[in-house]
Amino acid sequence: MKTLNFITGNKNKLAEVRAILGDVIDVQNQAVDVPEIQGTIEEIAKEKCRHAANAVGGPALTEDTALEFHALKGLPGPYIKSFLEALHHEGLNKMLDSFETREAEAVCTFAFSPGPGSEPIIFQGRTEGTIVRPRGPASFGWDPIFEHDGKTYAEMTKEEKNKVSHRYKALLKLQQWLAEQ
C-alpha cells in the first residue's frame, strides 16, 4: 500500500497525520460525513470506519479522539467534542474543581478498513496528563487545557507534540502494521 485515504474534515488532524506518517506513506484526504454514534471509544471508531469505507467504496482510515477525566470515571471520553462546544475550556475545568484529581488521559483511536464489508482494525494511543486552566493558543480543540510534562499541548511546538501525543502513539502502531503488510 502506497497511499492511505484518511477520512477527516479537520485540517489540524490531517496535518498531524501527514507530519507523522508522511515519510512512510502518502496520506490522501477525503471528507465524508460519518454518523456520530454512542458507545465505547472502540465501537465508535469501528462504526465510523465501516461507514467511511462504504462511502468511498474502498480503503479508509478514520480517527476518533477522547479525553478521559479520571475523577469522572472516563467522561467526557469520546464525547469531548460536544462537551467542549457546550462548556468551553473554562467549563471543562469547572467540572473538576470539586475533585481531588485533575488527572486525565488523551486517547486516539484510528480504525482502518481495507474496504466495504471488512472488519476495521484498531490502533490506539494514550497519553497521561492533567487538566489545567487554558494556556497557549486556542486553535486546536482542548490542547490549551491538557498538560503533559509541564506544558499544555497548545504550548508545545508541533514537533514536540508529535513526539508525545496520543495521536503519535496510535500512528506508530499503524505505521508498524503498515510496514508488516
Side-chain angles (χ1 to χ4, degrees):
M1 186 182 323
K2 293 182 173 95
T3 302
L4 197 55
N5 193 20
F6 182 38
I7 309 299
T8 186
N10 186 315
K11 66 179 179 15
N12 291 316
K13 286 182 183 180
L14 178 61
E16 283 188 7
V17 170
R18 283 183 170 154
I20 295 167
L21 287 182
D23 293 340
V24 177
I25 195 163
D26 179 29
V27 179
Q28 296 296 312
N29 174 244
Q30 246 182 293
V32 173
D33 193 24
V34 292
E36 292 288 334
I37 67 161
Q38 292 189 14
T40 66
I41 297 168
E42 295 80 10
E43 289 167 343
I44 292 168
K46 283 184 176 185
E47 187 56 32
K48 280 174 70 171
C49 192
R50 281 187 200 99
H51 183 83
N54 286 335
V56 300
L61 178 70
T62 59
E63 185 259 7
D64 205 66
T65 299
L67 185 60
E68 300 178 336
F69 295 173
H70 292 200
L72 301 179
K73 310 285 189 241
L75 283 174
Y79 311 111
I80 184 59
K81 183 178 177 183
S82 298
F83 274 66
L84 181 59
E85 287 172 0
L87 302 173
H88 309 285
H89 295 136
E90 241 354 276
L92 289 170
N93 264 279
K94 287 179 183 175
M95 287 174 54
L96 296 174
D97 283 348
S98 64
F99 291 95
E100 290 182 26
T101 183
R102 300 182 76 78
E103 292 176 7
E105 193 168 27
V107 184
C108 179
T109 306
F110 280 92
F112 173 77
S113 173
S118 297
E119 181 65 14
I121 303 163
I122 296 291
F123 305 92
Q124 193 170 81
R126 294 173 172 268
T127 299
E128 290 287 335
T130 306
I131 302 302
V132 297
R133 295 295 189 244
R135 298 193 322 254
S139 56
F140 193 7
W142 40 264
D143 279 9
I145 65 167
F146 185 77
E147 182 184 79
H148 177 76
D149 285 343
K151 284 185 175 181
T152 65
Y153 273 180
E155 292 173 312
M156 294 179 185
T157 65
K158 289 178 183 181
E159 293 78 19
E160 286 175 312
K161 182 182 175 189
N162 286 346
K163 290 179 182 173
V164 299
S165 78
H166 53 303
R167 188 167 291 110
Y168 168 74
K169 292 172 183 176
L171 286 171
L172 270 186
K173 292 176 183 178
L174 171 62
Q175 191 174 8
Q176 290 168 348
W177 180 82
L178 288 169
E180 294 167 4
Q181 298 308 303

